[in-house]
Amino acid sequence: LPQGPTNHSQFSGKWFLVGVASKCDYLREYNHQLEATTMVVSASEGKSLAISTFRKLDGVCWEIKQQYHSTKAQGRFLLTSRSSNVDVVVGETDYSSYAILYYQKLRKISIKLFGRSVRVSDAIVGKFEQRITEMNMSEDFTYYFPTYGESWLSCCSVQRGLSSSAPWDTGNVPSNFYIHVWN
């Protein structure tokens, strides 16, 4: 994985998931169901990053909270879980318009393109696609997320009716992984 610089305060804020490249079987099978996804990053104590990911699914807004723990290498983070850890690397960013992040879990790599707005320039998409090629992936494994505009997220930030029932066994969810659901 590449090693990139990260200024935690400049990296903080709202990021829209623009695209992902991954050989994940789930994405290959269900890529037609991708929904707009937003990540809100804030610097936390110890130079870790607190991540809240928002996405709407079947009319319900989901918030997933995670902690990316800093490592000794600049721009590298560790997302811990009970099953296996995920190495997260900020490979490239200009802080103001885009970020390319690499995620590695059990020797499998995914590359994600985030933008400060729902759309990024063709030049940035070109950089993303170049990074995909460098990781020996092709467009067959690249998926772009729908752009509904920024207003779709208002459901998450306005409504705060926490649902008490999760549709899965929460006993297997890592202790640093929180899921909030709003109707």
Coordinates of all heavy atoms in Angstrom, one line a residue, residues 78-153:
L78 N -5.4 2.1 11.5 CA -5.9 0.7 11.7 C -7.3 0.8 12.2 O -7.6 1.4 13.2 CB -4.9 0.1 12.7 CG -5.2 -1.4 13.0 CD1 -5.0 -2.2 11.7 CD2 -4.3 -1.9 14.1
L79 N -8.1 0.0 11.5 CA -9.5 -0.2 12.0 C -9.6 -1.6 12.6 O -9.4 -2.6 11.8 CB -10.5 -0.1 10.8 CG -12.0 -0.4 11.0 CD1 -12.5 0.6 12.1 CD2 -12.7 -0.2 9.7
T80 N -9.8 -1.7 13.9 CA -9.7 -3.0 14.5 C -11.1 -3.6 14.6 O -12.1 -2.9 14.7 CB -9.1 -2.9 15.9 OG1 -9.9 -1.9 16.7 CG2 -7.7 -2.4 15.9
S81 N -11.2 -4.9 14.6 CA -12.4 -5.7 14.8 C -12.1 -7.0 15.4 O -10.9 -7.4 15.4 CB -13.2 -5.8 13.4 OG -12.5 -6.8 12.6
R82 N -13.1 -7.7 15.7 CA -12.9 -9.0 16.3 C -12.4 -10.1 15.3 O -11.7 -11.0 15.7 CB -14.2 -9.5 17.0 CG -14.5 -8.7 18.2 CD -15.8 -9.3 18.9 NE -16.2 -8.4 19.9 CZ -17.4 -8.2 20.2 NH1 -18.4 -8.8 19.6 NH2 -17.8 -7.3 21.2
S83 N -12.9 -10.0 14.1 CA -12.5 -11.0 13.1 C -11.2 -10.7 12.5 O -10.3 -11.6 12.5 CB -13.6 -11.0 12.0 OG -13.7 -9.8 11.4
S84 N -11.0 -9.5 11.9 CA -9.7 -9.2 11.3 C -9.6 -7.7 11.2 O -10.6 -7.0 10.9 CB -9.5 -9.9 10.0 OG -10.5 -9.5 9.1
N85 N -8.4 -7.2 11.3 CA -8.2 -5.7 11.2 C -8.1 -5.3 9.8 O -7.8 -6.0 8.9 CB -6.9 -5.4 11.9 CG -6.9 -5.6 13.4 OD1 -8.0 -5.6 14.0 ND2 -5.8 -5.8 14.0
V86 N -8.4 -4.0 9.6 CA -8.3 -3.4 8.3 C -7.3 -2.3 8.3 O -7.3 -1.4 9.2 CB -9.7 -2.8 7.9 CG1 -9.6 -2.1 6.5 CG2 -10.8 -3.8 7.9
D87 N -6.3 -2.3 7.4 CA -5.3 -1.2 7.3 C -5.9 -0.2 6.4 O -6.4 -0.5 5.3 CB -4.0 -1.8 6.7 CG -3.2 -2.6 7.6 OD1 -3.0 -2.2 8.7 OD2 -2.9 -3.8 7.3
V88 N -5.9 1.1 6.8 CA -6.5 2.2 6.0 C -5.3 3.1 5.7 O -4.6 3.5 6.6 CB -7.6 2.9 6.8 CG1 -8.2 4.0 5.9 CG2 -8.7 1.9 7.2
V89 N -5.2 3.5 4.4 CA -4.1 4.4 4.0 C -4.7 5.5 3.2 O -5.5 5.3 2.3 CB -3.0 3.7 3.2 CG1 -2.0 4.7 2.7 CG2 -2.4 2.6 4.0
V90 N -4.4 6.8 3.6 CA -4.8 7.9 2.8 C -3.7 8.0 1.8 O -2.6 8.5 2.1 CB -4.8 9.2 3.7 CG1 -5.2 10.4 2.8 CG2 -5.9 9.1 4.8
G91 N -4.0 7.5 0.6 CA -2.9 7.4 -0.5 C -2.7 8.8 -1.1 O -1.5 9.1 -1.4
E92 N -3.7 9.6 -1.3 CA -3.5 10.8 -2.0 C -4.7 11.7 -1.6 O -5.9 11.3 -1.6 CB -3.5 10.6 -3.5 CG -3.2 11.8 -4.3 CD -3.0 11.4 -5.8 OE1 -2.8 10.2 -6.1 OE2 -3.2 12.3 -6.6
T93 N -4.4 13.0 -1.4 CA -5.5 14.0 -1.1 C -5.0 15.4 -1.3 O -3.8 15.6 -1.1 CB -6.1 13.8 0.3 OG1 -7.2 14.7 0.4 CG2 -5.1 14.1 1.4
D94 N -5.9 16.3 -1.7 CA -5.5 17.7 -1.7 C -6.3 18.4 -0.6 O -6.3 19.6 -0.5 CB -5.8 18.3 -3.1 CG -7.3 18.4 -3.4 OD1 -8.1 17.9 -2.7 OD2 -7.6 19.0 -4.5
Y95 N -7.1 17.6 0.2 CA -7.9 18.1 1.3 C -9.1 18.9 0.9 O -10.1 18.9 1.7 CB -7.0 18.9 2.4 CG -5.9 18.1 2.9 CD1 -4.6 18.3 2.5 CD2 -6.1 17.1 3.9 CE1 -3.5 17.6 3.1 CE2 -5.1 16.4 4.4 CZ -3.8 16.6 4.0 OH -2.7 15.9 4.5
S96 N -9.1 19.6 -0.2 CA -10.2 20.5 -0.5 C -11.1 19.9 -1.5 O -12.3 20.4 -1.6 CB -9.6 21.8 -1.1 OG -8.9 21.6 -2.3
S97 N -10.7 18.9 -2.3 CA -11.6 18.4 -3.3 C -11.7 16.9 -3.4 O -12.8 16.3 -3.7 CB -11.3 19.0 -4.7 OG -10.0 18.5 -5.1
Y98 N -10.6 16.1 -3.1 CA -10.7 14.7 -3.2 C -9.7 14.0 -2.3 O -8.8 14.6 -1.7 CB -10.3 14.3 -4.7 CG -8.9 14.2 -4.9 CD1 -8.1 13.1 -4.9 CD2 -8.2 15.4 -5.2 CE1 -6.8 13.0 -5.1 CE2 -6.8 15.4 -5.5 CZ -6.1 14.2 -5.4 OH -4.8 14.2 -5.7
A99 N -10.0 12.7 -2.1 CA -9.1 11.8 -1.3 C -9.2 10.4 -1.9 O -10.3 10.0 -2.2 CB -9.4 11.8 0.2
I100 N -8.1 9.7 -2.0 CA -8.1 8.3 -2.4 C -7.6 7.5 -1.3 O -6.4 7.8 -0.8 CB -7.2 8.1 -3.7 CG1 -7.7 8.9 -4.9 CG2 -7.1 6.7 -4.0 CD1 -6.8 9.0 -6.1
L101 N -8.4 6.6 -0.8 CA -8.0 5.8 0.4 C -7.9 4.4 0.0 O -8.7 3.9 -0.9 CB -9.1 5.9 1.5 CG -8.9 7.1 2.5 CD1 -9.1 8.4 1.8 CD2 -9.9 7.0 3.6
Y102 N -7.0 3.7 0.6 CA -6.8 2.2 0.3 C -7.2 1.5 1.6 O -6.8 1.9 2.7 CB -5.3 1.9 0.0 CG -4.8 2.5 -1.3 CD1 -4.5 3.9 -1.3 CD2 -4.7 1.8 -2.4 CE1 -4.0 4.4 -2.5 CE2 -4.2 2.3 -3.6 CZ -3.9 3.7 -3.6 OH -3.4 4.2 -4.8
Y103 N -7.9 0.4 1.4 CA -8.3 -0.4 2.6 C -7.8 -1.9 2.3 O -8.1 -2.4 1.2 CB -9.9 -0.5 2.7 CG -10.5 0.9 3.0 CD1 -10.7 1.8 2.0 CD2 -10.9 1.1 4.3 CE1 -11.2 3.1 2.3 CE2 -11.5 2.4 4.6 CZ -11.6 3.3 3.6 OH -12.2 4.5 3.9
Q104 N -7.1 -2.4 3.3 CA -6.6 -3.8 3.1 C -7.0 -4.6 4.2 O -6.8 -4.3 5.4 CB -5.1 -3.8 3.0 CG -4.5 -5.2 2.7 CD -3.0 -5.2 2.5 OE1 -2.3 -4.2 2.6 NE2 -2.5 -6.4 2.2
K105 N -7.7 -5.7 3.9 CA -8.1 -6.7 4.9 C -7.8 -8.1 4.3 O -8.2 -8.5 3.2 CB -9.7 -6.6 5.1 CG -10.2 -7.5 6.1 CD -11.7 -7.3 6.3 CE -12.3 -8.3 7.3 NZ -13.7 -8.0 7.6
L106 N -7.0 -8.8 5.1 CA -6.7 -10.2 4.7 C -6.1 -10.3 3.3 O -6.5 -11.1 2.5 CB -7.9 -11.2 4.9 CG -8.5 -11.3 6.3 CD1 -9.7 -12.1 6.2 CD2 -7.4 -11.8 7.2
R107 N -5.2 -9.4 3.0 CA -4.5 -9.3 1.7 C -5.4 -8.9 0.5 O -5.0 -9.0 -0.6 CB -3.8 -10.7 1.4 CG -2.9 -11.1 2.5 CD -2.2 -12.4 2.2 NE -0.8 -12.0 1.8 CZ 0.0 -12.9 1.5 NH1 -0.3 -14.2 1.4 NH2 1.3 -12.6 1.2
K108 N -6.6 -8.5 0.8 CA -7.5 -8.0 -0.3 C -7.5 -6.5 -0.1 O -7.7 -5.9 1.0 CB -8.9 -8.6 -0.1 CG -8.9 -10.1 -0.4 CD -10.3 -10.6 -0.4 CE -10.3 -12.1 -0.8 NZ -11.7 -12.6 -0.8
I109 N -7.4 -5.8 -1.3 CA -7.4 -4.3 -1.3 C -8.6 -3.8 -2.0 O -9.0 -4.2 -3.0 CB -6.1 -3.8 -1.9 CG1 -4.9 -4.3 -1.1 CG2 -6.1 -2.3 -2.1 CD1 -3.5 -3.9 -1.7
S110 N -9.1 -2.7 -1.4 CA -10.2 -1.9 -2.0 C -9.6 -0.5 -2.0 O -8.9 0.0 -1.1 CB -11.5 -1.9 -1.2 OG -12.0 -3.2 -1.2
I111 N -10.0 0.2 -3.1 CA -9.6 1.6 -3.2 C -10.9 2.5 -3.4 O -11.8 2.1 -4.1 CB -8.7 1.8 -4.5 CG1 -7.6 0.8 -4.5 CG2 -8.2 3.3 -4.6 CD1 -6.9 0.7 -5.9
K112 N -10.9 3.5 -2.6 CA -12.1 4.4 -2.6 C -11.7 5.8 -2.9 O -10.7 6.3 -2.4 CB -12.8 4.4 -1.2 CG -13.4 3.0 -0.9 CD -14.1 3.0 0.5 CE -14.7 1.6 0.8 NZ -15.4 1.6 2.0
L113 N -12.6 6.4 -3.7 CA -12.4 7.8 -4.1 C -13.5 8.6 -3.4 O -14.7 8.3 -3.5 CB -12.6 8.0 -5.6 CG -12.7 9.5 -6.1 CD1 -11.4 10.2 -5.8 CD2 -12.9 9.5 -7.6
F114 N -13.1 9.6 -2.6 CA -14.0 10.5 -1.9 C -13.9 11.9 -2.5 O -12.8 12.3 -2.9 CB -13.7 10.5 -0.4 CG -14.0 9.2 0.3 CD1 -13.1 8.2 0.5 CD2 -15.3 9.0 0.9 CE1 -13.3 7.1 1.1 CE2 -15.6 7.8 1.5 CZ -14.6 6.9 1.7
G115 N -14.9 12.7 -2.4 CA -14.9 14.0 -2.9 C -15.6 14.9 -1.8 O -16.4 14.5 -1.1
R116 N -15.2 16.2 -1.8 CA -15.8 17.1 -0.9 C -17.2 17.5 -1.4 O -18.0 18.0 -0.7 CB -15.0 18.4 -0.7 CG -13.7 18.2 0.0 CD -14.0 17.9 1.5 NE -12.8 18.0 2.3 CZ -12.7 17.7 3.6 NH1 -13.8 17.5 4.2 NH2 -11.5 17.8 4.2
S117 N -17.5 17.2 -2.7 CA -18.8 17.4 -3.3 C -19.1 16.0 -3.9 O -18.3 15.2 -4.1 CB -18.9 18.5 -4.3 OG -18.0 18.3 -5.3
V118 N -20.4 15.9 -4.4 CA -20.8 14.6 -4.9 C -20.2 14.3 -6.3 O -20.2 13.1 -6.7 CB -22.4 14.5 -5.0 CG1 -23.0 14.5 -3.6 CG2 -22.9 15.6 -5.9
R119 N -19.6 15.3 -6.9 CA -19.0 15.1 -8.2 C -17.5 15.6 -8.1 O -17.3 16.6 -7.4 CB -19.7 15.8 -9.3 CG -21.0 15.2 -9.6 CD -21.7 15.9 -10.8 NE -22.9 15.2 -11.2 CZ -24.1 15.4 -10.6 NH1 -24.1 16.3 -9.6 NH2 -25.1 14.8 -11.0
V120 N -16.6 14.9 -8.7 CA -15.2 15.4 -8.8 C -14.9 15.6 -10.3 O -15.6 15.1 -11.2 CB -14.2 14.4 -8.1 CG1 -14.5 14.3 -6.6 CG2 -14.3 13.0 -8.8
S121 N -13.8 16.3 -10.5 CA -13.4 16.5 -11.9 C -12.9 15.3 -12.6 O -12.6 14.3 -12.0 CB -12.2 17.6 -11.9 OG -11.1 17.0 -11.5
D122 N -12.9 15.3 -13.9 CA -12.5 14.2 -14.8 C -11.0 13.9 -14.5 O -10.6 12.8 -14.5 CB -12.6 14.5 -16.2 CG -14.1 14.5 -16.7 OD1 -15.0 14.0 -15.9 OD2 -14.4 15.1 -17.7
A123 N -10.2 14.9 -14.2 CA -8.8 14.7 -13.9 C -8.6 13.9 -12.6 O -7.8 13.0 -12.5 CB -8.1 16.1 -13.7
I124 N -9.5 14.1 -11.6 CA -9.4 13.4 -10.4 C -9.9 11.9 -10.6 O -9.3 11.0 -10.1 CB -10.2 14.1 -9.2 CG1 -9.5 15.4 -8.8 CG2 -10.4 13.1 -8.0 CD1 -10.3 16.2 -7.9
V125 N -10.9 11.8 -11.4 CA -11.4 10.4 -11.7 C -10.2 9.7 -12.5 O -10.0 8.5 -12.2 CB -12.7 10.4 -12.6 CG1 -13.0 9.1 -13.2 CG2 -13.8 11.0 -11.8
G126 N -9.5 10.4 -13.3 CA -8.4 9.8 -14.0 C -7.3 9.4 -13.1 O -6.7 8.3 -13.2
K127 N -7.0 10.2 -12.0 CA -6.0 9.7 -11.0 C -6.5 8.5 -10.3 O -5.7 7.5 -10.1 CB -5.9 10.8 -9.9 CG -5.1 12.0 -10.4 CD -4.9 13.0 -9.2 CE -4.2 14.2 -9.6 NZ -3.8 15.1 -8.5
F128 N -7.8 8.4 -9.9 CA -8.4 7.3 -9.3 C -8.2 6.0 -10.2 O -7.8 5.0 -9.7 CB -9.8 7.6 -9.0 CG -10.6 6.4 -8.4 CD1 -10.2 5.8 -7.2 CD2 -11.8 6.0 -9.0 CE1 -10.9 4.8 -6.6 CE2 -12.5 5.0 -8.4 CZ -12.1 4.4 -7.2
E129 N -8.6 6.2 -11.4 CA -8.5 5.0 -12.3 C -7.0 4.6 -12.5 O -6.7 3.4 -12.7 CB -9.2 5.3 -13.6 CG -10.7 5.4 -13.4 CD -11.5 5.9 -14.6 OE1 -10.9 6.3 -15.6 OE2 -12.7 5.8 -14.6
Q130 N -6.1 5.5 -12.5 CA -4.7 5.2 -12.6 C -4.2 4.4 -11.4 O -3.5 3.4 -11.5 CB -3.8 6.4 -12.7 CG -2.3 6.2 -12.8 CD -1.5 7.5 -13.0 OE1 -2.1 8.5 -13.2 NE2 -0.2 7.3 -12.8
R131 N -4.7 4.8 -10.2 CA -4.3 4.0 -9.0 C -4.9 2.6 -9.0 O -4.3 1.7 -8.6 CB -4.9 4.7 -7.7 CG -4.3 6.1 -7.5 CD -2.8 6.2 -7.4 NE -2.3 7.6 -7.4 CZ -1.9 8.2 -8.4 NH1 -1.8 7.7 -9.6 NH2 -1.4 9.5 -8.3
I132 N -6.1 2.5 -9.6 CA -6.8 1.2 -9.7 C -5.9 0.3 -10.6 O -5.6 -0.9 -10.3 CB -8.2 1.3 -10.3 CG1 -9.1 2.0 -9.3 CG2 -8.7 0.0 -10.7 CD1 -10.4 2.5 -9.9
T133 N -5.4 0.8 -11.7 CA -4.6 0.1 -12.7 C -3.3 -0.3 -12.0 O -2.8 -1.5 -12.1 CB -4.3 0.9 -13.9 OG1 -5.5 1.2 -14.6 CG2 -3.4 0.1 -14.9
E134 N -2.7 0.6 -11.2 CA -1.5 0.3 -10.5 C -1.6 -0.9 -9.5 O -0.7 -1.6 -9.1 CB -1.0 1.5 -9.7 CG -0.5 2.6 -10.7 CD -0.2 3.9 -9.9 OE1 -0.5 4.0 -8.7 OE2 0.2 4.9 -10.6
M135 N -2.9 -1.1 -9.0 CA -3.1 -2.2 -8.1 C -3.6 -3.4 -8.8 O -4.2 -4.3 -8.1 CB -4.2 -1.7 -7.0 CG -3.7 -0.6 -6.1 SD -2.1 -0.8 -5.3 CE -2.5 -2.1 -4.2
N136 N -3.4 -3.5 -10.1 CA -3.8 -4.7 -10.9 C -5.3 -5.0 -10.9 O -5.7 -6.1 -10.9 CB -3.0 -5.9 -10.5 CG -1.5 -5.7 -10.8 OD1 -1.1 -5.2 -11.8 ND2 -0.7 -6.1 -9.8
M137 N -6.1 -3.9 -10.9 CA -7.5 -4.1 -11.0 C -7.9 -3.4 -12.3 O -7.2 -2.6 -12.9 CB -8.3 -3.5 -9.8 CG -8.2 -4.3 -8.6 SD -9.3 -3.7 -7.3 CE -8.2 -3.0 -6.2
S138 N -9.1 -3.7 -12.8 CA -9.6 -3.1 -14.0 C -11.0 -2.4 -13.8 O -11.5 -2.5 -12.7 CB -9.8 -4.2 -15.1 OG -10.9 -5.1 -14.7
E139 N -11.5 -1.9 -14.8 CA -12.8 -1.2 -14.7 C -13.9 -2.2 -14.4 O -15.0 -1.8 -13.9 CB -13.1 -0.4 -16.0 CG -13.2 -1.3 -17.2 CD -13.4 -0.5 -18.5 OE1 -12.8 0.6 -18.6 OE2 -14.1 -1.1 -19.4
D140 N -13.7 -3.5 -14.6 CA -14.6 -4.5 -14.2 C -14.9 -4.5 -12.7 O -15.9 -5.1 -12.3 CB -14.2 -5.9 -14.7 CG -14.1 -6.0 -16.2 OD1 -14.8 -5.2 -16.9 OD2 -13.4 -6.9 -16.7
F141 N -13.9 -4.0 -12.0 CA -14.0 -4.0 -10.5 C -14.3 -2.6 -9.9 O -14.1 -2.4 -8.7 CB -12.8 -4.6 -9.9 CG -12.5 -6.1 -10.3 CD1 -11.5 -6.3 -11.3 CD2 -13.3 -7.1 -9.9 CE1 -11.3 -7.6 -11.7 CE2 -13.1 -8.4 -10.3 CZ -12.1 -8.7 -11.2
T142 N -14.6 -1.7 -10.8 CA -14.8 -0.3 -10.4 C -16.3 0.1 -10.4 O -16.9 -0.1 -11.4 CB -14.0 0.6 -11.3 OG1 -12.6 0.2 -11.3 CG2 -14.0 2.1 -10.8
Y143 N -16.7 0.7 -9.3 CA -18.2 1.0 -9.2 C -18.3 2.5 -8.8 O -17.6 2.9 -7.9 CB -18.9 0.1 -8.2 CG -18.6 -1.3 -8.5 CD1 -17.6 -2.0 -7.8 CD2 -19.2 -2.0 -9.5 CE1 -17.3 -3.3 -8.0 CE2 -18.9 -3.3 -9.8 CZ -18.0 -4.0 -9.0 OH -17.7 -5.3 -9.3
Y144 N -19.1 3.2 -9.5 CA -19.3 4.6 -9.1 C -20.7 4.8 -8.4 O -21.7 4.1 -8.8 CB -19.2 5.5 -10.3 CG -17.8 5.6 -10.8 CD1 -17.3 4.8 -11.8 CD2 -16.9 6.5 -10.2 CE1 -16.0 4.8 -12.2 CE2 -15.6 6.5 -10.6 CZ -15.1 5.7 -11.6 OH -13.8 5.7 -12.0
F145 N -20.7 5.6 -7.4 CA -21.9 5.8 -6.6 C -22.9 6.8 -7.2 O -22.4 7.8 -7.8 CB -21.6 6.2 -5.2 CG -21.0 5.0 -4.4 CD1 -19.8 4.4 -4.7 CD2 -21.8 4.4 -3.4 CE1 -19.3 3.3 -4.0 CE2 -21.3 3.3 -2.7 CZ -20.1 2.8 -3.0
P146 N -24.2 6.6 -7.0 CA -25.1 7.6 -7.6 C -25.0 9.0 -6.9 O -24.5 9.0 -5.7 CB -26.5 7.0 -7.2 CG -26.3 6.0 -6.1 CD -24.8 5.6 -6.3
T147 N -25.3 10.0 -7.6 CA -25.3 11.4 -7.0 C -26.7 11.9 -6.9 O -27.2 12.3 -8.0 CB -24.4 12.3 -7.9 OG1 -24.9 12.3 -9.2 CG2 -22.9 11.8 -7.9
Y148 N -27.2 12.0 -5.7 CA -28.5 12.5 -5.5 C -28.5 14.0 -5.1 O -29.5 14.6 -4.7 CB -29.2 11.8 -4.4 CG -29.4 10.3 -4.7 CD1 -29.1 9.4 -3.6 CD2 -29.7 9.8 -5.9 CE1 -29.2 8.0 -3.9 CE2 -29.8 8.5 -6.1 CZ -29.6 7.6 -5.1 OH -29.7 6.2 -5.3
G149 N -27.3 14.6 -5.1 CA -27.2 15.9 -4.5 C -26.9 15.8 -3.0 O -26.9 14.7 -2.5
E150 N -26.6 16.9 -2.4 CA -26.2 16.8 -1.0 C -27.4 16.9 0.0 O -27.3 16.6 1.2 CB -25.3 18.0 -0.7 CG -24.0 17.9 -1.5 CD -23.1 19.1 -1.3 OE1 -23.2 19.7 -0.2 OE2 -22.2 19.3 -2.1
S151 N -28.6 17.1 -0.5 CA -29.8 17.2 0.3 C -30.3 15.9 0.9 O -30.9 15.9 1.9 CB -30.9 17.9 -0.4 OG -31.3 17.2 -1.5
W152 N -30.0 14.8 0.3 CA -30.5 13.5 0.8 C -30.0 13.2 2.2 O -30.7 12.5 2.9 CB -30.0 12.4 -0.2 CG -28.6 12.0 0.0 CD1 -27.5 12.5 -0.6 CD2 -28.1 11.0 1.0 NE1 -26.4 11.9 -0.1 CE2 -26.7 11.0 0.8 CE3 -28.7 10.2 1.9 CZ2 -25.9 10.2 1.6 CZ3 -27.9 9.4 2.7 CH2 -26.5 9.4 2.5
L153 N -28.8 13.8 2.6 CA -28.3 13.5 3.9 C -29.1 14.2 5.0 O -29.0 13.8 6.2 CB -26.8 14.0 4.0 CG -26.1 13.7 5.2 CD1 -26.1 12.2 5.5 CD2 -24.7 14.2 5.2

